[in-house]
């Protein structure tokens, strides 16, 4: 069965300044390759029929990707300056729920494409197990199922920036996204908080990876260490 992917690349990358004053954060090279291209190349190891890239800040800089790769479509997030990343998923809502789907952050350096070769039977977040306290997004589990997504926790799986959704679960997220958009304060939401609202309706697990397999690059210091 073919799959689709959504890559969220609309943000301004404020923590990566001054580099992002001239270059969109996902296009900053790590070891000679723009970060977003490591995500695209990893996705291309699967039967991906279309990759939707949601752009906003310096959107024109991403246009070369449509010439370099097949089956790439750019979707514009017109709200990226005013809202959290819920707006990037909303910009791709026409694709959400149409097929099994990856949802990916764009500011990742993926140096092990083999982790994309798993045969997913269940919707899941890629997760890195972190011993001790973490201030990042974490997953609270009950057996093999995620029951809560929040920030801060101790000795739990941390979000790694990639998730995989079965078609029917993506459709549930799409419905919850539209409902959230009816709320006055929806612009403050992260899209994962929308997922958190429907965890009782969908079965979502964690696909464990090692921290070094996917590196999130947030600051110039992270870039030096990558």
């Amino acid at each position: 069965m073919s799959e689709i992917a959504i890559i969220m690349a609309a943000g301004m990358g404020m923590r990566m300044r001054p580099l992002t004053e001239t270059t969109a954060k996902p296009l900053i090279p790590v070891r000679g390759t723009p970060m977003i291209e490591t995500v695209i190349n990893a996705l291309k190891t699967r039967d991906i029929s279309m990759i939707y890239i949601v752009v906003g800040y310096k959107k024109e800089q991403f246009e070369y990707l449509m010439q370099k790769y097949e089956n790439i479509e750019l979707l514009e997030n017109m709200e990226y300056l005013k809202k959290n990343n819920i707006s990037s998923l909303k910009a791709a809502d026409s694709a959400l729920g149409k097929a099994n789907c990856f949802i990916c952050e764009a500011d990742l350096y993926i140096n092990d494409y083999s982790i994309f070769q798993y045969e997913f039977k269940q919707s899941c977040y890629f997760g890195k197990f972190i011993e001790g306290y973490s201030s990042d997004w974490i997953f609270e589990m009950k057996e093999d199922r995620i029951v809560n997504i929040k920030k801060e926790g101790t000795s739990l799986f941390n979000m790694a920036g990639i998730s995989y959704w079965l078609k029917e679960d993506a459709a549930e997220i799409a419905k919850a996204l539209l409902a959230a958009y009816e709320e006055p304060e929806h612009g403050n939401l992260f899209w994962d908080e929308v997922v958190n609202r429907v965890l009782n309706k969908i079965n979502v697990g964690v696909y464990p990876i090692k921290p070094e397999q996917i590196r999130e690059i947030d600051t110039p210091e992270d870039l030096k260490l990558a």
Side-chain angles (χ1 to χ4, degrees):
M1 179 185 296
S2 65
E3 302 162 326
I4 63 171
I6 298 167
I7 303 178
M8 296 192 288
M12 296 181 67
M14 298 294 286
R15 287 190 288 170
M16 190 68 90
R17 288 192 170 186
L19 297 175
T20 50
E21 291 175 0
T22 56
T23 305
K25 183 182 176 185
L27 300 177
I28 293 173
V30 178
R31 301 185 187 180
T33 303
M35 284 186 271
I36 194 171
E37 291 198 44
T38 71
V39 180
I40 292 170
N41 289 330
L43 290 169
K44 289 289 189 179
T45 65
R46 297 182 66 90
D47 182 22
I48 300 288
S49 60
M50 181 63 70
I51 297 175
Y52 300 94
I53 302 176
V54 182
V55 297
Y57 180 63
K58 297 192 180 298
K59 60 183 180 181
E60 68 284 349
Q61 294 187 355
F62 294 88
E63 292 177 357
Y64 81 95
L65 294 169
M66 292 188 292
Q67 280 72 53
K68 185 170 182 177
Y69 297 94
E70 294 181 350
N71 302 324
I72 296 278
E73 181 177 339
L74 302 186
L75 303 174
E76 185 173 1
N77 176 358
M78 305 287 288
E79 304 176 299
Y80 76 94
L81 287 173
K82 301 180 292 183
K83 300 180 181 181
N84 270 334
N85 70 7
I86 186 176
S87 61
S88 283
L89 198 59
K90 181 66 168 60
D93 64 353
S94 61
L96 196 61
K98 300 296 189 293
N100 291 356
C101 177
F102 284 93
I103 301 178
C104 311
E105 295 176 14
D107 55 350
L108 305 172
Y109 176 67
I110 301 176
N111 60 6
D112 183 0
Y113 298 169
S114 70
I115 59 176
F116 280 75
Q117 297 310 301
Y118 186 73
E119 186 177 352
F120 298 99
K121 302 291 188 182
Q122 172 191 23
S123 296
C124 60
Y125 279 90
F126 288 37
K128 301 178 284 189
F129 191 84
I130 304 297
E131 293 281 358
Y133 172 78
S134 170
S135 61
D136 208 342
W137 289 91
I138 56 89
F139 306 116
E140 292 181 338
M141 308 287 294
K142 185 174 182 180
E143 297 176 349
D144 64 347
R145 183 170 182 164
I146 296 173
V147 294
N148 195 23
I149 302 170
K150 66 172 190 172
K151 280 197 169 184
E152 299 188 45
T154 303
S155 297
L156 294 166
F157 280 102
N158 281 221
M159 195 174 288
I162 307 283
S163 56
Y164 183 85
W165 304 96
L166 300 181
K167 177 181 177 180
E168 58 270 25
D169 293 341
E172 284 290 344
I173 295 169
K175 287 192 292 185
L177 180 68
L178 291 175
Y181 248 71
E182 297 297 319
E183 301 170 10
E185 302 299 321
H186 69 268
N188 296 323
L189 292 171
F190 292 91
W191 78 269
D192 304 283
E193 293 177 289
V194 175
V195 174
N196 200 46
R197 297 178 176 187
V198 294
L199 288 175
N200 61 327
K201 298 180 180 179
I202 60 179
N203 184 4
V204 187
V206 169
Y207 172 50
I209 63 162
K210 298 175 182 177
E212 64 269 17
Q213 290 174 311
I214 299 178
R215 296 185 183 275
E216 187 171 2
I217 311 295
D218 283 328
T219 66
E221 290 70 31
D222 292 340
L223 188 60
K224 293 175 184 176
L225 295 172

